[in-house]
Amino acid sequence: MDPKKIYDAIVIGTGAAGGMAAKELAERGMEILVLEAGPKLDMAKDLFTHVWPYETKYRGFDRPGERERTYPTQWTASEYSKIFYIKDAEHPYTTAKGKPFRWVRKRAVGGKILHWGREVRRLSDLDFRAADHDGYGENWPIRYADLAPYYDRVESFIGVSGSIENIPHVPDGKYLPPMALNCGEKIIQKVASKVGMRLITSRQAMRTKSVNGLGRCHYCGGCGRGCAVGGFWNSISDTLPAAMKTGRMTLRPNSVVREVLVDENGKARGVSIVDRLTKKDFEVRSRVVVLAASALESTRIMLNSVSRFWPNGIANSSGVLGHYLMDNFGYERPITAFLPVLKGSKVTNEDGKSSGSFIVQYRNITDRHPKFIRSYIHETWSGARQFPGFASGLPGFGSKFKKEVRRDYPAIIGFGHTFLGEMLARWENYVEINKDVKDAWGIPVLNMDCQHSDNEREMAKDALENVKALVHAAGWEIASIGNKLRPPGSMIHEMGTCRMSDDPKKGVLNKFNQTHDISNLFVVDGSSFVTSGAYAPTLTIGALAARASDYLVEEYKRGNL
């Protein structure tokens, strides 16, 4: 990196948004600098994809004391994946009294898609035009037709396995062959159809065939540890190598962005950086700045970017920056049950396929529920996994206990978090800068003020009762059940806080992820979302980043930035 050079664009972040923006901008001819706050990992040496439990210090389980001391809020981290996560003591944040929030963060080249659920479902006009459907909130400034070509582009590059289902509110995509449902999932599918539900295989960013020279899944079952063979969508195996291949991308890891800098006219001129290792400050310059640091981190950078032009945070003339925070939500524990017909059957290798399935949302699609708006899905799974986790909840000990565990092993089914629901966008759910607390690099942290509303709580009650009814109707045996909602942030699907709108008074960004106030500042991650949908947001984040990049390049060529 040349500190004296003026790059065409600086991209901040290397996850789903930053990786896709880097690829698109570099391939379209722009010379870019990509900044990542964390280190660069070696896929072959640093990932634990193929490490057996007996090769690890705690046999794959960790010790509770060790876990609490090293990463208490990073609840998805394990002995296999903790390398991806931040150290809490270096990255504090605060929360409003009585309103817990879990901010799960990864700082390494590749971002959150180094280790993730790989669910990639498209939003539909039921999401983009939700206000038209039920009268609540605001519509997105785009429709499905605007984003569909970019969904196609992203799916065609990263490779998504899935099945064509022709469900209007769950749009189909450009799919590779799906991973087949296993025996338990087929049983759930059959029973669900009898009670008005529809189960389909998950749409997964896991390649069942090699595309664009990228690796394919070889069914090792280690997806949750990060993929050392590049078999799923991951910036360090997919988008960043594509950008690097152009010769127009410079990648600088260990670069903690303090703020976006402005020129004498209040436009973006570059960024201020703190080196993660030396803690020295320096500046880099560019003609365009693209924030893709993740929803809350991008908003934090903007709120900390204070100047005489922007006393309340850069590009925040609307005062909306930081507001309308959303996350998907579900219960602390899933519902798990046993399928009697599979008890005692032969244990087969079912943990190699980690794609699962889901029951399509059906509440508030064609009718109106009396107690809540919007909808949810049930993510389902079945089959013997490497660890029989259900065993810890069974009574007994000794040889009899072991026989029961072996008998039940192939019969387990589950509904992850019981359901995955849509959280409403509300002004009163927001983040702000806490100037009294700073991170290890002297940068003021975020304070979260967020909680679930009555709408979320009523939706959760309905989801729980409806799964219990499904399980009981089928005669399955419930093994465990949870009825406590996870705090916001737990699903790691943070959205909003820098949302889009055609009206500059109601949003920070226009329909191309460009700030209304500053033409050469773009924000392309989940912070731009207007509604959350009952889906994982990652595919939409990638599609928005690709669409924004197209627009950015054309405007740059015209001299409008």
Side-chain angles (χ1 to χ4, degrees):
M1 185 193 74
D2 183 355
K4 296 182 180 179
K5 185 172 184 174
I6 300 178
Y7 293 88
D8 291 331
I10 292 174
V11 178
I12 302 167
T14 57
M20 190 58 64
K23 172 186 177 296
E24 295 295 315
L25 295 176
E27 288 182 343
R28 294 287 300 276
M30 295 189 75
E31 191 164 359
I32 62 173
L33 172 66
V34 178
L35 301 174
E36 168 56 50
K40 185 177 181 181
L41 302 178
D42 185 318
M43 287 179 63
K45 296 179 180 179
D46 295 329
L47 273 62
F48 284 69
T49 311
H50 301 127
V51 175
W52 289 99
Y54 58 78
E55 297 178 284
T56 67
K57 186 176 181 180
Y58 303 121
R59 301 300 185 263
F61 283 100
D62 287 329
R63 293 184 306 180
E66 182 79 1
R67 186 179 181 88
E68 290 164 7
R69 184 167 68 255
T70 56
Y71 38 85
T73 62
Q74 316 304 310
W75 72 273
T76 59
S78 71
E79 191 171 356
Y80 292 110
S81 62
K82 62 185 180 183
I83 188 174
F84 304 135
Y85 292 83
I86 56 97
K87 294 180 179 178
D88 289 326
E90 294 180 341
H91 302 79
Y93 63 94
T94 58
T95 59
K97 186 177 180 180
K99 299 179 182 179
F101 189 95
R102 290 176 180 165
W103 190 11
V104 178
R105 287 164 289 173
K106 300 168 189 170
R107 282 193 169 182
V109 174
K112 290 181 181 176
I113 58 172
L114 283 167
H115 159 60
W116 62 302
R118 307 166 304 285
E119 295 282 352
V120 282
R121 304 175 195 129
R122 298 185 177 200
L123 296 181
S124 73
D125 274 333
L126 190 67
D127 305 291
F128 293 118
R129 313 301 294 181
D132 288 347
H133 186 67
D134 57 34
Y136 178 85
E138 300 290 331
N139 288 321
W140 290 60
I142 59 175
R143 288 179 175 261
Y144 176 73
D146 297 315
L147 203 55
Y150 296 94
Y151 278 137
D152 289 352
R153 182 187 297 184
V154 173
E155 288 170 342
S156 296
F157 175 73
I158 65 173
V160 174
S161 60
S163 56
I164 301 299
E165 299 290 344
N166 298 309
I167 304 171
H169 61 280
V170 186
D172 294 318
K174 300 288 186 180
Y175 297 142
L176 301 174
M179 293 185 172
L181 298 177
N182 62 28
C183 186
E185 289 166 339
K186 289 179 179 178
I187 292 173
I188 303 171
Q189 183 182 54
K190 185 175 181 180
V191 174
S193 66
K194 293 179 179 179
V195 293
M197 303 182 192
R198 183 170 176 179
L199 181 146
I200 66 174
T201 188
S202 292
R203 280 88 189 261
Q204 292 270 318
M206 299 170 67
R207 291 179 282 273
T208 50
K209 288 184 177 181
S210 179
V211 294
N212 302 310
L214 303 175
R216 58 173 289 182
C217 177
H218 60 194
Y219 296 82
C220 72
C223 310
R225 307 168 187 177
C227 187
V229 299
F232 64 65
W233 178 15
N234 184 326
S235 296
I236 59 176
S237 61
D238 299 7
T239 49
L240 291 178
M244 188 66 76
K245 190 176 180 180
T246 67
R248 290 185 286 271
M249 182 187 84
T250 300
L251 173 65
R252 190 186 195 281
N254 299 310
S255 302
V256 182
V257 175
R258 183 185 296 278
E259 64 179 312
V260 178
L261 302 171
V262 297
D263 62 17
E264 63 278 4
N265 299 310
K267 292 185 66 175
R269 65 175 177 84
V271 297
S272 170
I273 298 171
V274 186
D275 187 279
R276 184 179 72 89
L277 302 176
T278 66
K279 296 188 177 180
K280 291 183 178 180
D281 288 87
F282 59 97
E283 298 179 2
V284 287
R285 294 182 295 168
S286 65
R287 297 178 180 86
V288 183
V289 173
V290 180
L291 282 163
S294 82
L296 297 185
E297 193 60 48
S298 288
T299 294
R300 178 192 178 199
I301 292 170
M302 294 177 73
L303 288 170
N304 273 319
S305 301
V306 176
S307 65
R308 64 187 178 90
F309 298 99
W310 313 110
N312 299 312
I314 194 167
N316 190 26
S317 65
S318 66
V320 173
L321 185 64
H323 291 272
Y324 301 107
L325 171 60
M326 299 171 286
D327 183 30
N328 293 130
F329 69 106
Y331 284 111
E332 285 279 10
R333 295 171 58 199
I335 286 183
T336 56
F338 295 115
L339 301 173
V341 70
L342 294 181
K343 282 194 173 187
S345 61
K346 182 180 178 181
V347 176
T348 58
N349 178 18
E350 293 180 305
D351 64 346
K353 178 194 84 78
S354 57
S355 60
S357 52
F358 71 100
I359 293 176
V360 176
Q361 73 268 42
Y362 60 97
R363 295 295 198 220
N364 295 318
I365 306 300
T366 58
D367 56 1
R368 177 73 179 263
H369 194 280
K371 293 188 176 181
F372 63 89
I373 59 173
R374 308 295 162 87
S375 198
Y376 58 85
I377 64 171
H378 295 297
E379 293 182 318
T380 65
W381 54 270
S382 180
R385 306 286 166 170
Q386 189 174 76
F387 293 110
F390 68 90
S392 62
L394 295 181
F397 62 93
S399 61
K400 182 175 181 292
F401 171 74
K402 292 177 182 178
K403 288 179 182 178
E404 290 177 351
V405 170
R406 290 191 181 96
R407 179 198 66 196
D408 296 344
Y409 199 12
I412 190 76
I413 63 167
F415 297 84
H417 314 297
T418 304
F419 73 105
L420 189 69
E422 174 170 354
M423 186 175 182
L424 296 180
R426 298 189 297 134
W427 171 271
E428 54 267 38
N429 284 338
Y430 68 97
V431 298
E432 61 186 348
I433 296 298
N434 183 343
K435 296 180 181 179
D436 297 327
V437 181
K438 296 181 180 179
D439 65 16
W441 298 271
I443 303 172
V445 307
L446 284 182
N447 179 69
M448 322 294 191
D449 194 321
C450 183
Q451 64 182 347
H452 292 125
S453 68
D454 288 341
N455 196 77
E456 282 85 63
R457 286 185 281 269
E458 290 297 333
M459 185 187 293
K461 290 178 185 177
D462 183 76
L464 179 61
E465 291 307 312
N466 135 339
V467 171
K468 287 165 63 177
L470 171 64
V471 171
H472 287 307
W476 303 332
E477 303 169 12
I478 290 182
S480 66
I481 189 168
N483 57 5
K484 179 183 178 183
L485 285 179
R486 292 185 184 275
S490 298
M491 296 302 179
I492 325 176
H493 292 171
E494 308 95 69
M495 293 166 275
T497 68
C498 186
R499 72 177 186 175
M500 292 179 170
S501 176
D502 280 332
D503 186 345
K505 295 180 180 179
K506 293 183 177 180
V508 182
L509 309 174
N510 66 16
K511 62 182 179 181
F512 293 106
N513 293 75
Q514 179 185 39
T515 61
H516 285 295
D517 293 337
I518 302 175
S519 62
N520 67 340
L521 178 62
F522 290 74
V523 187
V524 299
D525 51 36
S527 61
S528 65
F529 279 44
V530 180
T531 62
S532 64
Y535 311 94
T538 314
L539 180 67
T540 300
I541 289 172
L544 288 171
R547 183 172 184 269
S549 297
D550 260 7
Y551 175 79
L552 189 162
V553 170
E554 292 305 312
E555 289 295 285
Y556 187 76
K557 289 178 178 178
R558 295 186 184 105
N560 294 334
L561 304 182

